[in-house]
Amino acid sequence: MGMVSEFKDFIAKGNAMDLAVGVIIGAAFGAIVNSLVTDVITPALLNPALKAAQVENLADLKTDNGILYGKFLAAVISFLVIAFVIFIMVKAINSMKKKEEAAPAAPAGPTQEELLTQIRDLLKK
C-alpha cells in the first residue's frame, strides 16, 4: 500500500500536474502553429519562391543512389518556417506583456523614514 500512496503523492504534486498541463497545451499550440505554417504561410510564401526557383517537387529530389535529399531540404525549410512563426508569435506575446507591465503603478505610500519623521513631529507638538 505504501507504493500506491507514494504514487498518489507524486501525481498530486504541482510539478507533475504542471508538466501534464504544459504537454497538453504544447500539443494544442503545436497544432495551431502547424496549421498556420501549412495552410497559410507555406502557400503564400514558399510556393511562389519554389516556383521562381523552378523546384516544383522538392521532396522528390534524390541522388542516383536513392538518397532523398529533397525530403531533407523540405524538412529543413519547414523547420525554419515553423521556428520563425513561433519566434514572431512569442515576440508579439512578449510585446503585449511589456505593455501590461508598463501600466502606471499605484502611487507609493510614504517611506518608513517619512512616517517616523511625521510621528516625531507629532510627538514634539
Side-chain angles (χ1 to χ4, degrees), residues 69-125:
Y69 69 91
K71 282 189 174 183
F72 174 73
L73 291 175
V76 169
I77 291 171
S78 178
F79 169 77
L80 291 174
V81 171
I82 290 172
F84 182 73
V85 168
I86 291 173
F87 170 75
I88 296 298
M89 292 175 83
V90 168
K91 191 170 176 80
I93 290 169
N94 285 341
S95 70
M96 287 189 292
K97 284 183 182 179
K98 286 180 185 177
K99 288 179 184 177
E100 291 175 5
E101 291 173 2
T111 63
Q112 186 176 4
E113 290 81 18
E114 292 172 342
L115 289 174
L116 290 173
T117 304
Q118 290 175 2
I119 293 171
R120 184 196 65 201
D121 292 343
L122 288 173
L123 289 175
K124 281 183 182 180
K125 292 181 183 178

Coordinates of all heavy atoms in Angstrom, one line a residue, residues 69-125:
Y69 N 17.6 13.6 -50.7 CA 18.0 14.8 -50.1 C 16.9 15.9 -50.2 O 16.8 16.9 -49.5 CB 19.3 15.3 -50.7 CG 19.2 15.8 -52.2 CD1 18.9 17.1 -52.5 CD2 19.4 14.9 -53.2 CE1 18.9 17.5 -53.8 CE2 19.4 15.3 -54.5 CZ 19.1 16.6 -54.8 OH 19.0 17.0 -56.1
G70 N 16.0 15.7 -51.1 CA 14.8 16.7 -51.3 C 13.9 16.7 -50.0 O 13.5 17.7 -49.6
K71 N 13.7 15.5 -49.5 CA 12.9 15.4 -48.3 C 13.6 16.1 -47.1 O 13.0 16.7 -46.3 CB 12.6 13.9 -47.9 CG 11.5 13.3 -48.7 CD 11.1 11.9 -48.1 CE 9.9 11.4 -48.9 NZ 9.5 10.1 -48.3
F72 N 14.9 15.9 -47.1 CA 15.7 16.6 -46.0 C 15.6 18.1 -46.2 O 15.4 18.8 -45.2 CB 17.1 16.1 -46.1 CG 18.0 16.8 -45.1 CD1 17.9 16.6 -43.7 CD2 18.9 17.8 -45.6 CE1 18.7 17.3 -42.8 CE2 19.7 18.5 -44.7 CZ 19.6 18.2 -43.3
L73 N 15.8 18.6 -47.4 CA 15.7 20.0 -47.6 C 14.3 20.5 -47.3 O 14.1 21.6 -46.7 CB 16.0 20.3 -49.1 CG 17.5 20.1 -49.5 CD1 17.7 20.4 -51.0 CD2 18.4 21.1 -48.7
A74 N 13.3 19.8 -47.6 CA 11.9 20.2 -47.3 C 11.7 20.2 -45.8 O 11.0 21.1 -45.3 CB 10.9 19.2 -47.9
A75 N 12.3 19.3 -45.1 CA 12.2 19.3 -43.6 C 12.9 20.4 -43.0 O 12.4 21.1 -42.1 CB 12.7 17.9 -43.0
V76 N 14.1 20.8 -43.5 CA 14.8 21.9 -43.0 C 14.0 23.2 -43.3 O 13.9 24.1 -42.4 CB 16.2 22.0 -43.7 CG1 16.9 23.3 -43.4 CG2 17.1 20.8 -43.2
I77 N 13.5 23.4 -44.5 CA 12.7 24.6 -44.8 C 11.5 24.7 -43.9 O 11.2 25.7 -43.4 CB 12.3 24.6 -46.3 CG1 13.6 24.8 -47.1 CG2 11.3 25.7 -46.6 CD1 13.3 24.6 -48.6
S78 N 10.8 23.5 -43.7 CA 9.6 23.5 -42.8 C 10.0 23.9 -41.4 O 9.3 24.7 -40.8 CB 9.0 22.1 -42.9 OG 7.9 22.1 -42.0
F79 N 11.1 23.4 -40.9 CA 11.6 23.7 -39.6 C 11.9 25.2 -39.5 O 11.5 25.8 -38.5 CB 12.9 22.9 -39.2 CG 13.5 23.4 -38.0 CD1 13.0 23.1 -36.7 CD2 14.7 24.2 -38.1 CE1 13.6 23.6 -35.6 CE2 15.3 24.7 -36.9 CZ 14.8 24.4 -35.7
L80 N 12.6 25.7 -40.4 CA 12.9 27.2 -40.4 C 11.7 28.0 -40.4 O 11.6 29.0 -39.7 CB 13.8 27.5 -41.5 CG 15.2 26.9 -41.4 CD1 16.0 27.2 -42.7 CD2 16.0 27.4 -40.2
V81 N 10.7 27.7 -41.2 CA 9.4 28.4 -41.3 C 8.7 28.3 -39.9 O 8.2 29.4 -39.4 CB 8.6 28.0 -42.5 CG1 7.2 28.6 -42.4 CG2 9.2 28.3 -43.8
I82 N 8.6 27.1 -39.4 CA 7.9 27.0 -38.1 C 8.6 27.7 -37.0 O 8.0 28.4 -36.2 CB 7.7 25.5 -37.8 CG1 6.7 24.8 -38.7 CG2 7.3 25.3 -36.3 CD1 6.7 23.3 -38.6
A83 N 9.9 27.6 -37.0 CA 10.7 28.3 -35.9 C 10.5 29.8 -36.1 O 10.4 30.5 -35.1 CB 12.2 28.0 -36.1
F84 N 10.5 30.3 -37.3 CA 10.3 31.8 -37.5 C 8.9 32.2 -37.0 O 8.7 33.2 -36.4 CB 10.5 32.2 -39.0 CG 10.3 33.6 -39.2 CD1 11.3 34.5 -38.8 CD2 9.2 34.1 -39.9 CE1 11.2 35.9 -39.0 CE2 9.1 35.5 -40.1 CZ 10.1 36.4 -39.7
V85 N 7.9 31.4 -37.4 CA 6.5 31.7 -36.9 C 6.4 31.7 -35.4 O 5.8 32.6 -34.8 CB 5.5 30.7 -37.6 CG1 4.1 30.8 -36.9 CG2 5.4 31.0 -39.1
I86 N 7.0 30.7 -34.8 CA 7.0 30.7 -33.3 C 7.7 31.9 -32.7 O 7.2 32.5 -31.8 CB 7.6 29.4 -32.8 CG1 6.6 28.2 -33.1 CG2 7.8 29.4 -31.3 CD1 7.2 26.8 -32.8
F87 N 8.8 32.3 -33.3 CA 9.6 33.5 -32.9 C 8.7 34.7 -33.0 O 8.6 35.5 -32.1 CB 10.8 33.6 -33.8 CG 11.5 34.9 -33.5 CD1 12.3 35.1 -32.4 CD2 11.4 35.9 -34.5 CE1 12.9 36.3 -32.2 CE2 12.1 37.1 -34.3 CZ 12.8 37.4 -33.1
I88 N 8.0 34.9 -34.1 CA 7.1 36.1 -34.3 C 6.0 36.0 -33.3 O 5.6 37.1 -32.7 CB 6.6 36.1 -35.7 CG1 7.7 36.3 -36.7 CG2 5.5 37.2 -35.9 CD1 8.5 37.6 -36.6
M89 N 5.4 34.9 -33.0 CA 4.3 34.8 -32.0 C 4.8 35.1 -30.6 O 4.1 35.8 -29.9 CB 3.6 33.4 -32.1 CG 2.9 33.1 -33.4 SD 2.3 31.5 -33.5 CE 0.7 31.6 -32.6
V90 N 5.9 34.6 -30.2 CA 6.5 34.8 -28.9 C 6.8 36.3 -28.8 O 6.6 36.9 -27.7 CB 7.7 33.9 -28.6 CG1 8.5 34.4 -27.4 CG2 7.2 32.5 -28.5
K91 N 7.4 36.9 -29.8 CA 7.7 38.3 -29.8 C 6.5 39.1 -29.6 O 6.5 40.1 -28.9 CB 8.5 38.7 -31.1 CG 9.1 40.0 -31.1 CD 10.0 40.1 -32.3 CE 10.6 41.5 -32.4 NZ 11.7 41.7 -31.6
A92 N 5.4 38.8 -30.3 CA 4.1 39.5 -30.2 C 3.6 39.4 -28.8 O 3.1 40.4 -28.2 CB 3.1 39.1 -31.2
I93 N 3.6 38.2 -28.2 CA 3.1 38.0 -26.9 C 3.9 38.7 -25.9 O 3.4 39.4 -24.9 CB 3.1 36.5 -26.5 CG1 2.0 35.8 -27.4 CG2 2.8 36.2 -25.1 CD1 2.0 34.3 -27.3
N94 N 5.3 38.7 -26.0 CA 6.1 39.5 -25.1 C 5.9 41.0 -25.2 O 5.9 41.7 -24.2 CB 7.6 39.2 -25.4 CG 8.0 37.8 -24.9 OD1 7.3 37.2 -24.0 ND2 9.1 37.3 -25.4
S95 N 5.6 41.5 -26.4 CA 5.3 42.9 -26.5 C 4.0 43.3 -25.8 O 3.9 44.4 -25.2 CB 5.3 43.4 -28.0 OG 4.2 42.9 -28.6
M96 N 3.0 42.4 -25.9 CA 1.8 42.7 -25.2 C 2.0 42.6 -23.7 O 1.4 43.4 -22.9 CB 0.7 41.6 -25.6 CG 0.2 41.8 -26.9 SD -1.2 40.8 -27.3 CE -0.5 39.2 -27.4
K97 N 2.9 41.7 -23.2 CA 3.2 41.7 -21.8 C 3.9 42.9 -21.3 O 3.6 43.5 -20.2 CB 4.0 40.5 -21.4 CG 3.2 39.2 -21.4 CD 4.2 38.0 -21.0 CE 3.4 36.7 -21.0 NZ 4.3 35.6 -20.7
K98 N 4.8 43.5 -22.1 CA 5.5 44.7 -21.8 C 4.6 45.9 -21.7 O 4.7 46.7 -20.8 CB 6.6 45.0 -22.8 CG 7.8 44.1 -22.7 CD 8.8 44.4 -23.7 CE 10.0 43.4 -23.7 NZ 11.0 43.6 -24.7
K99 N 3.5 45.9 -22.5 CA 2.6 47.0 -22.4 C 1.8 46.9 -21.1 O 1.5 47.9 -20.5 CB 1.6 47.0 -23.6 CG 2.3 47.4 -24.9 CD 1.3 47.3 -26.1 CE 2.1 47.6 -27.4 NZ 1.2 47.5 -28.5
E100 N 1.4 45.7 -20.7 CA 0.7 45.5 -19.5 C 1.6 45.9 -18.3 O 1.1 46.5 -17.3 CB 0.3 44.0 -19.3 CG -0.8 43.6 -20.2 CD -1.1 42.1 -20.1 OE1 -0.5 41.4 -19.3 OE2 -1.9 41.6 -20.9
E101 N 2.9 45.6 -18.3 CA 3.8 45.9 -17.3 C 4.1 47.4 -17.2 O 4.4 47.9 -16.2 CB 5.1 45.1 -17.4 CG 5.0 43.7 -17.2 CD 6.3 42.9 -17.5 OE1 7.3 43.6 -17.9 OE2 6.3 41.7 -17.4
A102 N 4.0 48.1 -18.3 CA 4.3 49.5 -18.4 C 3.1 50.3 -17.8 O 3.3 51.5 -17.7 CB 4.5 49.9 -19.8
A103 N 2.0 49.7 -17.5 CA 0.9 50.5 -16.9 C 1.4 51.1 -15.6 O 2.2 50.6 -14.9 CB -0.2 49.5 -16.6
P104 N 0.9 52.4 -15.3 CA 1.4 53.1 -14.2 C 1.1 52.3 -12.9 O 0.0 51.8 -12.7 CB 0.7 54.4 -14.2 CG -0.5 54.2 -15.1 CD -0.1 53.1 -16.1
A105 N 2.1 52.3 -12.0 CA 2.0 51.6 -10.7 C 1.2 52.5 -9.8 O 1.1 53.8 -10.0 CB 3.3 51.3 -10.2
A106 N 0.6 51.9 -8.8 CA -0.2 52.7 -7.8 C 0.8 53.6 -7.1 O 2.0 53.2 -6.9 CB -0.8 51.7 -6.8
P107 N 0.4 54.8 -6.7 CA 1.3 55.7 -6.0 C 1.8 55.0 -4.7 O 1.1 54.4 -4.0 CB 0.4 56.9 -5.7 CG -1.0 56.5 -6.0 CD -1.0 55.3 -6.8
A108 N 3.1 55.2 -4.6 CA 3.7 54.6 -3.4 C 3.4 55.4 -2.1 O 3.3 56.6 -2.2 CB 5.2 54.5 -3.6
G109 N 3.2 54.7 -1.1 CA 2.9 55.3 0.2 C 4.2 55.9 0.8 O 5.3 55.8 0.2
P110 N 4.1 56.6 1.9 CA 5.3 57.2 2.5 C 6.2 56.1 2.9 O 5.9 55.0 3.3 CB 4.7 58.0 3.7 CG 3.4 57.5 3.9 CD 2.9 56.9 2.6
T111 N 7.5 56.5 2.9 CA 8.5 55.5 3.3 C 8.6 55.5 4.8 O 7.9 56.3 5.5 CB 9.9 56.0 2.8 OG1 10.3 57.2 3.4 CG2 10.0 56.1 1.3
Q112 N 9.3 54.5 5.3 CA 9.4 54.3 6.8 C 10.0 55.5 7.4 O 9.5 56.0 8.5 CB 10.2 53.1 7.1 CG 10.2 52.7 8.6 CD 10.9 51.4 8.8 OE1 11.5 50.8 7.9 NE2 10.9 51.0 10.1
E113 N 11.0 56.1 6.8 CA 11.6 57.3 7.3 C 10.7 58.5 7.4 O 10.6 59.2 8.4 CB 12.9 57.7 6.5 CG 14.0 56.7 6.6 CD 13.9 55.5 5.7 OE1 13.1 55.5 4.8 OE2 14.6 54.5 6.0
E114 N 9.8 58.6 6.4 CA 8.9 59.7 6.4 C 7.8 59.5 7.5 O 7.4 60.5 8.1 CB 8.2 59.8 5.0 CG 9.1 60.3 3.9 CD 8.5 60.2 2.5 OE1 7.4 59.4 2.3 OE2 9.0 60.8 1.6
L115 N 7.4 58.3 7.7 CA 6.4 58.0 8.7 C 7.0 58.3 10.1 O 6.4 58.9 11.0 CB 5.9 56.6 8.7 CG 5.0 56.2 7.5 CD1 4.7 54.7 7.5 CD2 3.7 57.0 7.6
L116 N 8.3 57.9 10.3 CA 8.9 58.1 11.6 C 9.1 59.6 11.8 O 9.0 60.1 12.9 CB 10.2 57.4 11.6 CG 10.1 55.9 11.8 CD1 11.5 55.2 11.6 CD2 9.5 55.5 13.1
T117 N 9.4 60.4 10.7 CA 9.6 61.8 10.9 C 8.2 62.5 11.2 O 8.2 63.4 12.1 CB 10.1 62.4 9.5 OG1 11.3 61.7 9.2 CG2 10.3 63.9 9.6
Q118 N 7.2 62.0 10.6 CA 5.8 62.5 11.0 C 5.5 62.2 12.4 O 4.9 63.1 13.1 CB 4.8 62.0 10.0 CG 4.9 62.5 8.6 CD 3.9 61.8 7.7 OE1 3.1 61.0 8.1 NE2 3.9 62.1 6.4
I119 N 5.8 61.0 12.9 CA 5.5 60.7 14.3 C 6.3 61.5 15.2 O 5.8 62.0 16.2 CB 5.7 59.2 14.5 CG1 4.7 58.3 13.7 CG2 5.7 58.8 16.0 CD1 5.0 56.9 13.7
R120 N 7.6 61.7 14.9 CA 8.4 62.6 15.7 C 7.9 64.0 15.8 O 7.8 64.6 16.9 CB 9.8 62.6 15.1 CG 10.8 63.4 16.0 CD 12.1 63.7 15.3 NE 11.8 64.6 14.2 CZ 12.5 64.8 13.1 NH1 13.6 64.1 12.9 NH2 12.1 65.6 12.2
D121 N 7.5 64.5 14.6 CA 7.0 65.9 14.6 C 5.7 66.0 15.4 O 5.4 67.0 16.1 CB 6.8 66.4 13.2 CG 8.1 66.5 12.4 OD1 9.1 66.6 13.1 OD2 8.0 66.5 11.2
L122 N 4.8 65.0 15.3 CA 3.6 65.0 16.1 C 3.8 64.9 17.6 O 3.2 65.5 18.4 CB 2.7 63.8 15.7 CG 2.0 64.0 14.3 CD1 1.3 62.7 13.9 CD2 1.0 65.2 14.3
L123 N 4.9 64.1 18.0 CA 5.2 64.0 19.4 C 5.8 65.3 20.0 O 5.6 65.6 21.1 CB 6.1 62.8 19.6 CG 5.5 61.4 19.4 CD1 6.6 60.4 19.5 CD2 4.4 61.2 20.5
K124 N 6.5 66.0 19.1 CA 7.1 67.3 19.5 C 6.0 68.3 19.9 O 6.1 69.2 20.7 CB 8.0 67.9 18.5 CG 9.3 67.3 18.4 CD 10.2 67.9 17.4 CE 11.5 67.3 17.3 NZ 12.4 67.9 16.3
K125 N 4.9 68.3 19.2 CA 3.8 69.2 19.4 C 3.1 68.9 20.7 O 2.8 69.1 21.6 CB 2.7 69.2 18.3 CG 3.2 69.7 17.0 CD 2.2 69.6 16.0 CE 2.6 70.0 14.6 NZ 1.7 69.9 13.6

